[in-house]
Amino acid sequence: MNRFDRITAILIQLQSRKIVKAQDLAERFEISLRTVYRDISSLAEAGVPIIGEAGVGYSIMDGYRLPPVMFTKEEARTFITAEKLMEKFTDFSTQSQYQSAMYKVKAVLRSSEKSMVENLENHIAVRNSNNPFPTPNSNALDILLKSISERKIVRINYVAIASDGPVDRLIEPVGIFHENNYWYTIAFCYLRRAYRNFRCDRMLKAEVTENPFQHQHAPLKDFLADSWERQNLRLVRIRMKKTAARYVSNQKYYYGFVSETVEGDEVEMSFLTGHIEWFARWYMMIAPNATICEPQVLKDTIKMLIRQIAENLEKPDTVPQVAI
């Protein structure tokens, strides 16, 4: 990237954020801090009202804006890919807002880029059989993002794993992330008085309250870095024939599926679960065609369940017989 393009890119980043640190600019453009200071000085000399504060960063005076930026063909192509992903992997409200933003982006494209974009729209498709938002009017993601930006508590009606029914909870979302075909939020739960991981498609209802957050939260990346320990997740590995594996292709995503490897005519699947007994009950449905590699606690739990079943089978029939 030449110096002119770099300075233009720095200006765009300054306009897109409230505060930008010199170190962040240096890392993004792979330049030294000395070069950052020189580029910032060049922008100031060109009349851009930049405000710099030692130890904080740079910002642009409120009200200053450049005319619409022209996008490259490469950038325009990525918009269409992102739009297709948004259509499949976000909730209804977020999709609508992103589509509205895309109309504004497309409005500033040159004629040649508009023609290319219109042509590409018919050549990109995202297929997803495991829709994380089965309800078409779900707005969980939009509500969570609003809560995070405004730092206001969210009330959700949530169906937890192995629960008898939905329960109202008050939470302070830390952030959202997408994993294994589902959207999740890590949040402080007032019911449990601790941080919990919530799957967004299990939220039957979500609404932002007027109550502000009562806690300061670490960045989302810090929570994700130690998610195994924080959630007490256990690694489960099972092995089965490929002919049997195809029958659990959709079910496995509901039980913490992480990855799988194929060895000959067998498939080894890895799962992360915080509910061993819940996983064991599902495993028993496929047990005749599968083998547990680890952990031992899963094997012990299944043995316990089998003993309980055997004891129930030995009990005398207490249902009165009706004479015919």
Side-chain angles (χ1 to χ4, degrees), residues 252-304:
K252 62 187 180 184
Y253 292 105
Y254 292 94
Y255 298 90
F257 173 76
V258 175
S259 63
E260 67 181 26
T261 57
V262 179
E263 298 179 9
D265 63 344
E266 291 188 324
V267 178
E268 182 178 295
M269 297 182 182
S270 296
F271 299 78
L272 287 177
T273 180
H275 304 270
I276 287 294
E277 183 174 343
W278 182 64
F279 187 94
R281 292 177 183 277
W282 172 71
Y283 175 82
M284 290 180 69
M285 293 189 293
I286 62 172
N289 300 301
T291 303
I292 299 172
C293 302
E294 63 172 315
Q296 182 62 40
V297 65
L298 176 60
K299 297 179 181 180
D300 295 339
T301 301
I302 290 175
K303 290 178 182 177
M304 178 193 69

Side-chain angles (χ1 to χ4, degrees), residues 42-57:
S42 297
L43 285 171
E45 292 173 1
V48 179
I50 297 178
I51 302 171
E53 185 175 345
V56 178

Side-chain angles (χ1 to χ4, degrees), residues 202-231:
R202 293 184 179 276
M203 297 180 184
L204 303 184
K205 185 178 180 182
E207 59 180 353
V208 178
T209 70
E210 292 300 319
N211 302 319
F213 283 6
Q214 301 298 312
H215 305 83
Q216 291 292 330
H217 308 295
L220 176 64
K221 62 180 182 180
D222 292 350
F223 285 87
L224 296 178
D226 64 346
S227 59
W228 276 49
E229 294 79 4
R230 181 177 47 76
Q231 299 178 55

Side-chain angles (χ1 to χ4, degrees), residues 167-183:
V167 176
D168 283 338
R169 299 198 188 193
L170 293 176
I171 63 172
E172 294 183 10
V174 173
I176 62 175
F177 64 97
H178 189 272
E179 187 173 77
N180 296 329
N181 288 328
Y182 292 97
W183 282 100

Side-chain angles (χ1 to χ4, degrees), residues 1-170:
M1 179 182 292
N2 60 43
R3 185 164 186 258
F4 176 80
D5 290 339
R6 185 180 69 242
I7 291 177
T8 302
I10 289 175
L11 177 57
I12 292 172
Q13 186 160 346
L14 287 170
Q15 289 189 113
S16 65
R17 302 186 65 179
K18 187 175 181 180
I19 297 289
V20 179
K21 296 180 179 179
Q23 185 62 46
D24 292 341
L25 293 173
E27 292 176 358
R28 175 181 175 183
F29 298 105
E30 299 180 346
I31 56 178
S32 66
L33 285 173
R34 184 186 295 272
T35 302
V36 172
Y37 301 147
R38 188 167 60 246
D39 290 347
I40 292 292
S41 178
S42 297
L43 285 171
E45 292 173 1
V48 179
I50 297 178
I51 302 171
E53 185 175 345
V56 178
Y58 298 104
S59 61
I60 293 182
M61 185 180 298
D62 285 344
Y64 179 83
R65 286 291 181 273
L66 284 180
V69 176
M70 292 296 105
F71 297 100
T72 65
K73 287 185 177 181
E74 292 76 14
E75 291 168 336
R77 286 198 294 266
T78 63
F79 294 150
I80 302 307
T81 305
E83 186 174 22
K84 296 294 183 178
L85 290 170
M86 291 289 285
E87 289 175 357
K88 290 292 183 181
F89 290 99
T90 57
D91 60 28
F92 180 78
S93 180
T94 306
Q95 291 169 19
S96 300
Q97 294 175 31
Y98 185 82
Q99 187 177 55
S100 177
M102 280 300 300
Y103 286 139
K104 297 176 183 178
V105 170
K106 293 174 183 178
V108 302
L109 296 176
R110 291 185 289 265
S111 296
S112 58
E113 277 75 29
K114 288 180 180 178
S115 298
M116 178 196 66
V117 163
E118 291 172 358
N119 180 56
L120 275 180
E121 287 178 335
N122 297 320
H123 295 275
I124 300 177
V126 178
R127 302 181 65 184
N128 176 32
S129 59
N130 296 307
N131 188 353
F133 289 100
T135 305
N137 292 322
S138 171
N139 64 341
L141 278 186
D142 186 48
I143 292 297
L144 293 171
L145 291 172
K146 181 179 180 181
S147 165
I148 294 168
S149 62
E150 298 181 359
R151 291 187 54 80
K152 290 185 177 179
I153 296 172
V154 176
R155 178 181 291 104
I156 61 174
N157 189 242
Y158 189 74
V159 181
I161 293 174
S163 67
D164 295 330
V167 176
D168 283 338
R169 299 198 188 193
L170 293 176

